[in-house]
Amino acid sequence: MKRKVTLKQIAKELDVSISTVSKALRNSKEIGEDTREKVQAFAKLYNYKPNNIALSLKNKKTKTIGIIIPEIVHHFFSMVIRGIEVVANQRGYNVIVGLSNESFDKEVINMEMLANGSIDGFILSISKETQLKQDFHHFHETINQGMPIVMFDRVVNDVKCDKVIVDDFKGSKKAVSKLLENGCKNVGLITTMDYVSVGKLRTQGYLESLEDRGIQPKSELILKVVEELDSEDHLEDLEAEVEQLFINNPEIDGVFAVNELYALTAMKVAKKMGKSIPEELQVIGFTDGVLSKHATPSLSTIKQHAEEMGAKSAELLIDRLELEKEDDRYETVVLETELILRESTK
Amino acid sequence: MKRKVTLKQIAKELDVSISTVSKALRNSKEIGEDTREKVQAFAKLYNYKPNNIALSLKNKKTKTIGIIIPEIVHHFFSMVIRGIEVVANQRGYNVIVGLSNESFDKEVINMEMLANGSIDGFILSISKETQLKQDFHHFHETINQGMPIVMFDRVVNDVKCDKVIVDDFKGSKKAVSKLLENGCKNVGLITTMDYVSVGKLRTQGYLESLEDRGIQPKSELILKVVEELDSEDHLEDLEAEVEQLFINNPEIDGVFAVNELYALTAMKVAKKMGKSIPEELQVIGFTDGVLSKHATPSLSTIKQHAEEMGAKSAELLIDRLELEKEDDRYETVVLETELILRESTK
DNA sequence: AAATATCACTCAAACGTTTTCGTGTTGAAA
DNA sequence: TTTCAACACGAAAACGTTTGAGTGATATTT
């Protein structure tokens, strides 16, 4: 086993100084041609590669981005990571991933672990628990120490950083408008509790879309699913809630759901109850994941351009890192959504 | 903005030496009580945290694991990452993720980027292109430099490292046997080309299961999908191939597919052709992802315990790192599969 | 012949830690 | 009074790298 070779070893072997080796490898013209060639040949032979950690320490930059997300087993988030990774790699950066698992404490711990020199900046989407607690001190502290953050999707307004979000409001307006255009008279909404920022915005889009057409929103058509139910393990409870919605409101002929799972569940329950899709019930979801595409019938949905979101986040962060702009002019990029029409709508 | 404080700054501020500060913070009894308290109070006030990079350089360990996977937008791989992350974090490690995107070159580049000091060891699953090329020099070199590797799922036999795999062979035997037990007389197989190691094993399991019952496998019942088709963008081609299979072999009453997408496509095509599931056609897939669970009808499948696979990989790697066992006794852990019965089988 | 430029290198500091080995000051034992 | 621990702390090396400043030796200019 030949361990990694260092400058020191090469220097000793060739009987020159460390600095000569370093300079020779960087083709400095301070070094004579013969020495330079000798060193380079030796280095190549022993497959010398500079030690990243030493470079990081010296340069005070690690060329590494920390990503903190609530969950990785999730089409949306993994798409975002992919977007980040592509841009990061292109620009010579690595990505290190931490999962908050929707927990405030894990979010804080993960950030502390990484903020001590391991990375140059964060790209993150905040956990549900953090949104609920409204405790953002860890973001403020990180930024205060000179480490930039880019937030995506689930952001918080009063943190001074770049943000990349999707136009949730307009996106859901698009969806609901489409349902109304398609002749739906009673559009139901399946959404989350209001503290989830994106859920709230999507709910607002639904409401405004109705109001735009002079339709009075009816609260009985709105189902706000409590937190525990959207975990994969409580599908039956979710189904029961949705079924109740349909039973109580048989006039429902359209459903807008704020995520794939809710939309799919709505379709499943409807089919079970004998409602045909899209003839008797039209459904539109949010987030264009694998489920929407492969459902039967396939699900019309609002596509969020997750990969683009990751790519944009990475660009914002790296730009800030490399320009070292210390200005307080933070950017919020809003990505437009796209309505993908499939079989669940007429 | 208060930048991160260092030992040196604390030392200067309190007019003691750097070593005194370091020792005081680590509660060395070399340091007098009053000085110790003073230093600790100051450190707490300024939220001192040791710089990870400096520690890594000194200790020659980064407490970071490098993960290289072919694709992150994939339920199986993201589950594995989750498994790794949980164990890694518990044991004080971070994870840094590189994506090969099924490309040999990206796999090599990613490994080189990380092997220069950034990480202590790798957990990886090799790309399809690498499997095709059979070029494993980068693994050998990495191991030769004293950096341990753990391979999972897609492994290669002649690399000296720990491995965690699923019993693909037995798993597919289980699936096919179940179909036969359920009365299927003509079980079709939808699989990948043979160079994909897991695809090959699953194909073998299919064959042996038939032979065990004295059934002569018919090659016309086996569809080997060419590489390009299983990307999400060529769904129609895949569907056409599957349809042809069904048209040419109308006697098919059972299908075993080596992944979710193939199984789902089989169901979709079958439904389109008017075959009822599971009455006329029973289907079993491989990999228990979201698609299987939420398909209609829901898909019976072979569950791989992906998260456990990640967890086990992390344990193997960290054990090796911490025990610094240099022995050549490498372990191959085989995880058993589980047959999950849902609506696509009788 | 003296001054100076050029070359080809080496030294040493710096990044932030930890840790071994001093070292000067006490107080107590001899 | 001398000797010697015990105490409380500092100096310096080490991890691997880059880089500005310094240094002899030649070669060139005046």
Side-chain angles (χ1 to χ4, degrees):
Chain A
M1 183 168 70
K2 45 175 184 182
R3 278 226 126 78
K4 295 238 63 155
V5 64
T6 68
L7 287 186
K8 190 193 270 193
Q9 288 163 35
I10 298 180
K12 194 175 166 191
E13 209 69 35
L14 298 181
D15 207 42
V16 291
S17 78
I18 295 179
S19 16
T20 303
V21 178
S22 176
K23 286 171 181 164
L25 290 175
R26 324 196 99 239
N27 272 318
S28 159
K29 55 183 156 38
E30 264 185 277
I31 305 298
E33 201 174 337
D34 39 354
T35 314
R36 213 188 312 161
E37 278 170 7
K38 191 176 60 174
V39 170
Q40 291 188 356
F42 193 93
K44 185 159 200 172
L45 179 63
Y46 282 88
N47 191 32
Y48 170 78
K49 295 274 166 52
N51 181 303
N52 268 332
I53 295 291
L55 286 179
S56 296
L57 183 58
K58 178 131 193 48
N59 301 332
K60 299 183 137 219
K61 34 185 82 160
T62 60
K63 290 272 188 178
T64 303
I65 295 173
I67 303 179
I68 312 278
I69 49 173
E71 173 61 83
I72 197 169
V73 188
H74 201 298
H75 189 265
F76 173 74
F77 286 118
S78 49
M79 285 287 272
V80 173
I81 294 187
R82 189 208 260 169
I84 295 173
E85 215 262 354
V86 169
V87 172
N89 265 22
Q90 270 170 8
R91 301 185 63 170
Y93 282 73
N94 278 119
V95 299
I96 188 163
V97 175
L99 308 180
S100 68
N101 201 24
E102 302 286 12
S103 141
F104 173 79
D105 289 338
K106 270 214 70 181
E107 188 174 281
V108 173
I109 291 176
N110 257 305
M111 286 190 67
E112 283 178 354
M113 261 189 99
L114 297 180
N116 302 314
S118 302
I119 60 164
D120 295 338
F122 281 106
I123 296 178
L124 56 85
S125 194
I126 69 182
S127 79
K128 282 182 186 163
E129 202 186 343
T130 308
Q131 286 185 118
L132 188 55
K133 285 184 88 155
Q134 295 274 313
D135 182 345
F136 308 127
H137 77 276
H138 48 313
F139 303 132
H140 293 126
E141 277 171 18
T142 306
I143 290 167
N144 230 287
Q145 289 178 351
M147 178 164 295
I149 293 180
V150 175
M151 293 192 174
F152 70 89
D153 198 51
R154 301 193 200 155
V155 305
V156 27
N157 283 330
D158 44 323
V159 172
K160 296 261 172 242
C161 66
D162 293 317
K163 287 153 199 161
V164 184
I165 53 176
V166 98
D167 196 337
D168 289 286
F169 181 74
K170 213 146 102 189
S172 55
K173 272 189 82 169
K174 257 185 228 177
V176 177
S177 300
K178 183 67 189 177
L179 289 172
L180 296 173
E181 279 168 26
N182 280 7
C184 293
K185 299 295 175 205
N186 294 283
V187 177
L189 170 70
I190 308 181
T191 185
T192 62
M193 292 312 211
D194 274 344
Y195 69 83
V196 180
S197 58
V198 296
K200 186 174 181 182
L201 284 168
R202 292 172 195 170
T203 302
Q204 286 170 353
Y206 162 86
L207 294 174
E208 196 174 289
S209 180
L210 293 180
E211 281 161 11
D212 281 357
R213 306 191 179 226
I215 303 172
Q216 186 64 28
K218 299 178 206 148
S219 65
E220 60 270 28
L221 293 186
I222 300 178
L223 172 58
K224 293 196 180 180
V225 178
V226 299
E227 189 48 26
E228 285 70 45
L229 300 190
D230 74 344
S231 105
E232 293 277 334
D233 304 327
H234 297 77
L235 269 183
E236 316 71 36
D237 299 340
L238 177 59
E239 283 169 22
E241 286 222 46
V242 174
E243 186 168 5
Q244 208 52 52
L245 174 73
F246 288 161
I247 291 175
N248 294 344
N249 307 278
E251 72 278 17
I252 287 183
D253 52 4
V255 165
F256 171 57
V258 300
N259 61 41
E260 273 193 309
L261 187 60
Y262 294 175
L264 233 71
T265 304
M267 293 212 294
K268 186 172 175 186
V269 171
K271 280 190 286 188
K272 202 180 74 180
M273 293 172 71
K275 287 177 188 275
S276 68
I277 299 171
E279 291 76 15
E280 297 173 62
L281 181 77
Q282 299 183 55
V283 182
I284 299 185
F286 211 110
T287 297
D288 186 31
V290 278
L291 286 177
S292 305
K293 194 171 193 171
H294 294 102
T296 37
S298 58
L299 181 63
S300 297
T301 193
I302 298 291
K303 181 172 177 171
Q304 290 168 291
H305 303 289
E307 194 165 354
E308 200 181 327
M309 188 168 231
K312 190 68 203 171
S313 302
E315 276 167 17
L316 283 175
L317 182 63
I318 297 178
D319 283 349
R320 188 167 290 274
L321 289 173
E322 311 219 314
L323 298 176
E324 294 187 26
K325 39 175 170 174
E326 297 256 343
D327 60 354
D328 289 359
R329 309 187 54 73
Y330 292 101
E331 209 173 325
T332 293
V333 176
V334 180
L335 299 177
E336 286 308 311
T337 56
E338 186 182 344
L339 176 58
I340 310 265
L341 293 174
R342 297 210 183 88
E343 297 164 2
S344 67
T345 45
K346 283 185 196 165
Chain B
M1 182 169 67
K2 45 174 186 181
R3 278 226 124 77
K4 294 236 61 150
V5 65
T6 67
L7 288 185
K8 190 193 271 193
Q9 290 162 33
I10 298 180
K12 194 173 165 190
E13 210 68 34
L14 298 181
D15 208 42
V16 291
S17 77
I18 295 179
S19 18
T20 302
V21 178
S22 176
K23 286 170 186 166
L25 290 176
R26 325 196 99 241
N27 272 317
S28 160
K29 54 183 158 38
E30 265 185 278
I31 305 300
E33 200 173 340
D34 39 355
T35 315
R36 214 187 314 159
E37 279 170 7
K38 189 177 60 175
V39 170
Q40 292 188 357
F42 192 93
K44 184 159 201 171
L45 179 63
Y46 282 88
N47 192 32
Y48 169 79
K49 295 275 164 55
N51 180 303
N52 268 332
I53 296 290
L55 285 179
S56 295
L57 183 59
K58 180 131 194 41
N59 300 333
K60 299 185 136 215
K61 34 184 82 160
T62 61
K63 290 273 188 176
T64 303
I65 295 173
I67 303 179
I68 311 278
I69 49 172
E71 173 60 83
I72 198 168
V73 188
H74 201 299
H75 189 264
F76 173 73
F77 284 118
S78 49
M79 285 287 272
V80 173
I81 293 187
R82 189 207 263 171
I84 295 172
E85 215 261 353
V86 169
V87 173
N89 266 23
Q90 269 171 8
R91 300 185 62 170
Y93 283 73
N94 278 118
V95 299
I96 186 164
V97 175
L99 308 179
S100 68
N101 201 26
E102 301 287 11
S103 140
F104 173 79
D105 289 338
K106 271 213 70 183
E107 186 173 282
V108 173
I109 290 175
N110 256 305
M111 285 189 68
E112 283 177 353
M113 260 188 100
L114 297 180
N116 302 315
S118 302
I119 60 163
D120 295 339
F122 282 106
I123 296 178
L124 55 86
S125 194
I126 68 183
S127 77
K128 282 183 185 163
E129 203 187 345
T130 308
Q131 285 186 119
L132 189 55
K133 285 185 89 156
Q134 294 274 313
D135 182 346
F136 307 128
H137 77 275
H138 49 312
F139 303 132
H140 293 125
E141 277 170 18
T142 305
I143 291 167
N144 230 287
Q145 289 178 351
M147 179 165 293
I149 292 180
V150 175
M151 293 192 175
F152 70 89
D153 198 50
R154 300 191 200 156
V155 305
V156 29
N157 282 330
D158 44 323
V159 172
K160 296 262 172 242
C161 66
D162 293 318
K163 287 152 199 161
V164 184
I165 53 177
V166 96
D167 197 337
D168 290 286
F169 180 75
K170 213 147 102 189
S172 55
K173 273 190 80 169
K174 255 185 230 177
V176 177
S177 299
K178 183 67 189 180
L179 289 172
L180 296 172
E181 278 169 25
N182 281 5
C184 293
K185 298 297 175 201
N186 293 283
V187 177
L189 171 70
I190 308 181
T191 185
T192 62
M193 292 310 212
D194 275 345
Y195 70 83
V196 181
S197 59
V198 296
K200 187 174 180 183
L201 284 167
R202 292 172 196 171
T203 302
Q204 286 171 353
Y206 163 85
L207 294 173
E208 196 174 291
S209 180
L210 292 180
E211 281 161 9
D212 280 359
R213 307 192 178 225
I215 302 172
Q216 186 66 29
K218 299 179 207 149
S219 65
E220 60 272 25
L221 292 187
I222 300 179
L223 171 58
K224 292 196 180 179
V225 178
V226 298
E227 189 47 26
E228 286 69 45
L229 301 190
D230 72 344
S231 105
E232 293 277 333
D233 304 327
H234 297 75
L235 269 183
E236 315 73 34
D237 299 342
L238 178 59
E239 283 170 21
E241 285 221 47
V242 174
E243 186 167 5
Q244 208 53 51
L245 174 73
F246 286 161
I247 291 175
N248 294 343
N249 307 277
E251 73 277 16
I252 287 183
D253 52 4
V255 165
F256 171 56
V258 299
N259 61 42
E260 273 192 312
L261 187 60
Y262 294 175
L264 234 71
T265 304
M267 291 211 297
K268 186 172 176 184
V269 171
K271 278 189 286 188
K272 202 179 76 180
M273 293 173 71
K275 287 176 186 276
S276 67
I277 299 171
E279 291 76 15
E280 298 172 62
L281 181 77
Q282 299 181 57
V283 181
I284 299 185
F286 212 110
T287 298
D288 187 30
V290 276
L291 286 177
S292 305
K293 195 172 193 171
H294 293 104
T296 38
S298 58
L299 180 64
S300 296
T301 194
I302 298 291
K303 182 173 179 175
Q304 289 170 292
H305 303 290
E307 193 164 355
E308 199 182 328
M309 189 168 229
K312 189 67 203 173
S313 302
E315 275 167 17
L316 283 175
L317 181 64
I318 297 177
D319 283 349
R320 189 168 289 276
L321 289 173
E322 311 220 313
L323 298 175
E324 294 187 26
K325 40 174 169 175
E326 299 256 341
D327 59 353
D328 290 359
R329 310 187 54 76
Y330 292 102
E331 210 171 325
T332 294
V333 176
V334 180
L335 299 178
E336 285 308 311
T337 57
E338 187 181 342
L339 176 59
I340 311 265
L341 293 174
R342 298 211 182 88
E343 298 164 0
S344 66
T345 45
K346 281 184 199 166

